[in-house]
Amino acid sequence: MIERIVIIDNVDPVSFYGVNNSNIQLIRNLFPKLRMAARGSVIKVIGDDAETAEFERKIKELEEYCIKFNKLTEDVILDIVKGKTPAEPHHDDVIIYGINGKPISPRNANQEKLVRAFRENDLTFALGPAGTGKTYIAIALAVKALKNREVRKIILSRPAVEAGEKLGFLPGDMKDKIDPYLQPLYDALEDMIPAVKLKEYMESNVIQIAPLAFMRGRTLNDAVIVLDEAQNTTVHQIKMFLTRLGMNAKMIITGDATQIDLPRSVCSGLIQALKVLRDVPGIGRVEFGKKDIVRHALVQRIVEAYERFDNSPEKEADKPAEES
C-alpha cells in the first residue's frame, strides 16, 4: 500500500468536485479499492501502486477537460474513467468556455474580425459604440491566451475618468478608490473564470487590473494587455501606454469616440493615436457600428436616437449661451 498525492492546481476545485462534492463521491465509487481524501487542490489516495497510478492518470485527464470547458459532469467522469472519449460541445468558433461551460463566441462579423485581428497583430484597436462587445471579446481573448499558456499574465487597464459627474473623495484604501472605475472589467472576468480561481489569479498578480496612471515605467512582457475606454486617455497617456508593450505580448485598445468624458479643452489620445499610427504595419483596426450592438435591443435604438439628435438643429438650440 502506498500513498499518492495528486495536485489539481490548474482548475477551480468547486467546478472539479461538483455541488456538495458530488463529483468526488462518484470518483470514489469508481475506485472502490482506494481510500481517498480531497481538500482544496490536493487529493490524497492510498492503495495498490498500479491502481493509484491509474487514479492519478484519470484525475489529470478530468482536470484537462475541466480546464477547457469550465465544468465536469457525471457523464464525462464516467466516460473518462472507463476509457471512453467524452462527447465535447460542438462550437467551431468558440473563444473559451465561461462559467458552467457557457460557450463564449463571436456574435457578429466584426467580433469575428476582432478575433482574427488579435491573432494576426500584436496591437489591435477595437472601436465603436457601447454594447458592441468590444471589451468582452477582448477579455475573452486574453483569458484564452492565459489558459493556453501562451502568456503568463493578463493586464487590464482603464483611465480613471468620471463620466460627466464629480464623485468627490471615495472612502477606503487605494483598491477601494479605483475599483468603481474598473468594475466593468471585473464583470467580464467573473463571467469567464470561476470565483475561487479568479481570486487566486488576482492575489498572485497573474491577472492585474489597474488604472492607466499605474502603467508608467513598466515593460509588459509575456502578457495580454487590454486598455478599455481609451477615448478618455490624454495624448501623453496613450503614448506612454503604447510604449509599454514588451516581448511576447499583445495589446488590445478599445474605445468609443462618441463618449469622450475629458474636458473640452483636452484632446483625446485615442483620436490622435489612430491618426499617427494609421500606416504603421502590425497594427490591426476593427470598427464596430450600431448594427453590431449585442446588448438589449433598446440600446441600439438609443444610440441611433442620439446620432440623429447630434446631427439635428435641436442640438445647437440646446447649447448653453456661452457656447453659442
Side-chain angles (χ1 to χ4, degrees), residues 183-200:
Q183 191 58 49
L185 306 181
Y186 288 111
D187 292 343
L189 286 170
E190 287 167 358
D191 252 10
M192 302 174 196
I193 302 175
V196 173
K197 197 67 182 174
L198 179 56
K199 182 180 179 184
E200 178 189 320

Side-chain angles (χ1 to χ4, degrees), residues 13-293:
V14 176
S15 302
F16 190 87
Y17 294 148
V19 178
N20 296 324
N21 291 325
S22 58
N23 289 345
I24 202 69
Q25 187 57 51
L26 175 59
I27 293 169
R28 270 199 188 93
N29 295 338
L30 293 170
F31 290 91
K33 295 181 181 179
L34 302 179
R35 286 188 294 146
M36 67 184 73
R39 185 170 186 179
S41 60
V42 177
I43 303 175
K44 291 183 180 179
V45 61
I46 299 173
D48 175 79
D49 185 31
E51 287 200 17
T52 56
E54 175 68 4
F55 174 84
E56 180 175 18
R57 189 171 68 83
K58 294 299 183 182
I59 290 295
K60 287 301 177 182
E61 287 183 36
L62 291 169
E63 182 186 22
E64 286 299 316
Y65 185 98
C66 194
I67 290 170
K68 182 175 180 181
F69 296 105
N70 254 339
K71 68 174 181 178
L72 200 57
T73 64
E74 289 188 5
D75 289 341
V76 169
I77 294 170
L78 289 169
D79 284 343
I80 288 177
V81 172
K82 292 178 179 178
K84 300 178 182 177
T85 301
E88 295 187 357
H90 295 292
H91 299 98
D92 294 335
D93 59 347
V94 72
I95 300 172
I96 56 167
Y97 290 87
I99 299 302
N100 297 321
K102 170 190 171 186
I104 297 174
S105 306
R107 294 176 60 182
N108 54 51
N110 274 325
Q111 288 189 0
E112 291 175 3
K113 190 175 177 182
L114 177 55
V115 173
R116 289 196 301 272
F118 175 79
R119 187 165 56 241
E120 296 166 2
N121 301 280
D122 288 338
L123 170 60
T124 302
F125 288 94
L127 314 165
T132 52
K134 307 181 301 294
T135 302
Y136 196 79
I137 294 296
I139 293 177
L141 291 166
V143 172
K144 178 181 181 179
L146 181 67
K147 290 181 73 170
N148 290 347
R149 299 183 176 88
E150 296 166 12
V151 296
R152 292 189 295 108
K153 58 193 172 188
I154 295 172
I155 299 167
L156 308 175
S157 187
R158 270 185 148 209
V161 176
E162 296 152 350
E165 54 187 315
K166 298 298 180 185
L167 302 180
F169 291 102
L170 295 171
D173 59 16
M174 180 62 73
K175 184 177 185 301
D176 294 329
K177 292 177 188 297
I178 64 177
D179 272 0
Y181 296 104
L182 306 174
Q183 191 58 49
L185 306 181
Y186 288 111
D187 292 343
L189 286 170
E190 287 167 358
D191 252 10
M192 302 174 196
I193 302 175
V196 173
K197 197 67 182 174
L198 179 56
K199 182 180 179 184
E200 178 189 320
Y201 281 150
M202 301 285 284
E203 289 175 349
S204 60
N205 284 329
V206 171
I207 296 180
Q208 303 170 29
I209 303 182
L212 182 58
F214 286 25
M215 295 294 108
R216 186 173 295 281
R218 301 183 66 183
T219 301
L220 306 175
N221 298 314
D222 297 309
V224 176
I225 311 116
V226 179
L227 174 61
D228 192 32
E229 300 288 348
Q231 76 275 4
N232 289 328
T233 60
T234 65
V235 169
H236 296 297
Q237 283 176 330
I238 201 162
K239 181 181 177 183
M240 176 274 293
F241 183 82
L242 289 168
T243 53
R244 301 306 95 200
L245 190 65
M247 301 302 293
N248 189 40
K250 290 200 170 208
M251 190 176 279
I252 304 178
I253 296 178
T254 73
D256 176 7
T258 68
Q259 291 190 341
I260 297 174
D261 299 313
L262 295 168
R264 291 182 181 274
S265 59
V266 178
C267 176
S268 167
L270 175 64
I271 303 301
Q272 189 188 79
L274 292 170
K275 295 175 183 176
V276 172
L277 304 176
R278 182 170 49 230
D279 299 320
V280 176
I283 297 178
R285 176 169 171 166
V286 182
E287 297 194 21
F288 293 80
K290 56 182 179 292
K291 298 298 184 186
D292 296 313
I293 291 174

